[in-house]
Amino acid sequence: MDYRSKLIVKPGSHVKLADIDPGFRGHHESHKLAEPEMEAALADITSLQELLYAEKKHALLIVLQGIDAAGKDGVCWHVIRAMNPQGTSVTGFKQPTAEERTHDFLWRVHKHVPGLGQVGVFNRSHYEDVLVVRVHDLAPKHVWEKRYDAINRFESELTESGVTIIKFFLYISKEEQLGRFKQRLDDPARHWKISESDYSERELWDDYTKAYEAMLQRCSTAHAPWYVLPSNHKWFRNLAASQIILETLTDMKLKAPAPTVNIDEIREKYHKAASEEGVT
Ligand code: AMP
Ligand code: MG
């Protein structure tokens, strides 16, 4: 199935998360049956990322947002493991530092945007400034309200300078979140992931839903679309993300750059060296 056209938020469309099934898993019956498709997609991503790195004409920025335990770390890991680490970067955005607070909200983000030839993943992003900031009144409404347009202009500028942007909203149900919190509690190796704010943020679920809907509606643009990834099934989330990334890379029509040397001359040098050294 073409998950890219199925999961994209069409620019300007009204988004109601309640109408989307976070347990959606396409035509796939099970993780096991989806596995070969996933591995094939990852193998193709590996080849294309190598071309992106070699050609240095495009950059790819993957933005991840989602409530606590939605799987942002999981997608980072999944996507990046198919890639040569030399051509990638992952940036997590936490509460702004004292210095970051003295600048405009995009200042800390801009410097982590991947350069040509690179793939960058944002684990949280500039969208926190219309999410947590909106939900917790960390800035007055007239301030965050203007940020949607500012974000669209910023992303449009990036696109014009060669950055292709994919934005994934990882969508899980409230029940699924609680189940994942329990798994963290039950597994001492994962206790470090638990934070005090998990449950207080959870109480604000409806406010977050409104903020996510506004973000999806106002900032899914033709140049930087949002995709809603149904994420109750981790394997489906990863499969859909891989396929969308693969199709986006394919659209770039990446090509290995022409050699910088005369290959025939170099071949002669090789033959000369080989015959001198007795290599047949
Ligand atoms: P985590 O991703 O679980 O390590 O948590 C990072 C925390 O930083 C989350 O609670 C985010 O909501 C918070 N955060 C990220 N960006 C901002 C921002 N611009 N303003 C306020 N809080 C933020
Ligand atoms: Mg957290």
Side-chain angles (χ1 to χ4, degrees):
M1 190 190 272
D2 175 9
Y3 293 125
R4 189 159 60 152
S5 51
K6 164 116 186 107
L7 304 177
I8 197 168
V9 176
K10 293 198 182 66
S13 65
H14 187 76
V15 181
K16 204 149 179 5
L17 287 173
D19 295 340
I20 299 174
D21 174 13
F24 178 75
R25 51 185 189 171
H27 62 279
H28 302 281
E29 301 268 312
S30 70
H31 183 187
K32 218 171 157 39
L33 291 172
E35 195 75 28
E37 249 180 81
M38 171 103 86
E39 290 306 319
L42 289 179
D44 289 345
I45 289 175
T46 302
S47 319
L48 290 176
Q49 185 234 351
E50 177 151 322
L51 289 179
L52 181 121
Y53 180 75
E55 195 182 37
K56 298 209 172 9
K57 283 193 181 163
H58 299 265
L60 177 65
L61 172 61
I62 301 166
V63 172
L64 304 175
Q65 288 290 164
I67 205 109
D68 293 312
K72 299 182 291 297
D73 293 348
V75 173
C76 274
W77 166 254
H78 171 80
V79 163
I80 291 289
R81 83 181 164 97
M83 300 189 187
N84 177 346
Q86 283 201 94
T88 65
S89 63
V90 176
T91 313
F93 291 93
K94 311 277 179 192
Q95 289 179 2
T97 62
E99 191 197 10
E100 286 167 352
R101 262 184 246 278
T102 68
H103 292 273
D104 67 277
F105 78 105
L106 293 169
W107 179 78
R108 67 172 185 160
V109 177
H110 206 153
K111 57 187 172 192
H112 293 289
V113 170
L116 301 179
Q118 297 281 318
V119 178
V121 180
F122 284 177
N123 187 341
R124 302 188 191 267
S125 66
H126 41 298
Y127 284 96
E128 290 293 319
D129 290 280
V130 290
L131 293 169
V132 66
V133 169
R134 172 176 167 155
V135 169
H136 284 277
D137 286 322
L138 300 180
K141 181 169 184 196
H142 72 270
V143 170
W144 56 252
E145 186 63 47
K146 291 197 189 91
R147 288 181 175 165
Y148 297 98
D149 289 339
I151 288 174
N152 289 340
R153 285 194 301 271
F154 170 63
E155 292 180 352
S156 161
E157 248 174 64
L158 295 183
T159 318
E160 278 167 29
S161 55
V163 185
T164 296
I165 305 173
I166 304 177
K167 299 178 295 196
F168 289 133
F169 169 60
L170 279 46
Y171 180 44
I172 56 169
S173 63
K174 211 172 170 186
E175 299 69 39
E176 178 65 22
Q177 189 197 44
L178 198 59
R180 292 186 186 185
F181 284 172
K182 178 165 191 311
Q183 286 171 2
R184 288 180 180 182
L185 271 175
D186 291 347
D187 179 1
R190 284 200 272 171
H191 281 177
W192 66 274
K193 282 206 153 208
I194 300 173
S195 89
E196 199 81 58
S197 66
D198 288 347
Y199 291 87
S200 51
E201 294 301 285
R202 182 177 162 79
E203 280 173 26
L204 298 167
W205 190 275
D206 293 345
D207 294 338
Y208 270 107
T209 299
K210 275 198 206 108
Y212 286 130
E213 287 174 344
M215 163 192 94
L216 295 168
Q217 197 164 320
R218 297 178 67 173
C219 297
S220 192
T221 54
H223 56 272
W226 270 109
Y227 297 90
V228 176
L229 291 187
S231 297
N232 275 7
H233 298 288
K234 293 177 183 176
W235 61 267
F236 178 77
R237 169 201 80 196
N238 289 347
L239 175 70
S242 318
Q243 292 193 348
I244 292 167
I245 291 168
L246 174 58
E247 284 174 35
T248 305
L249 286 169
T250 304
D251 279 357
M252 291 181 192
K253 307 215 179 322
L254 301 160
K255 276 200 283 306
T260 54
V261 295
N262 182 326
I263 295 292
D264 291 335
E265 274 175 25
I266 298 284
R267 189 170 281 119
E268 272 174 36
K269 286 186 194 183
Y270 165 77
H271 286 307
K272 186 162 172 285
S275 78
E276 279 171 13
E277 291 162 40
V279 176
T280 50

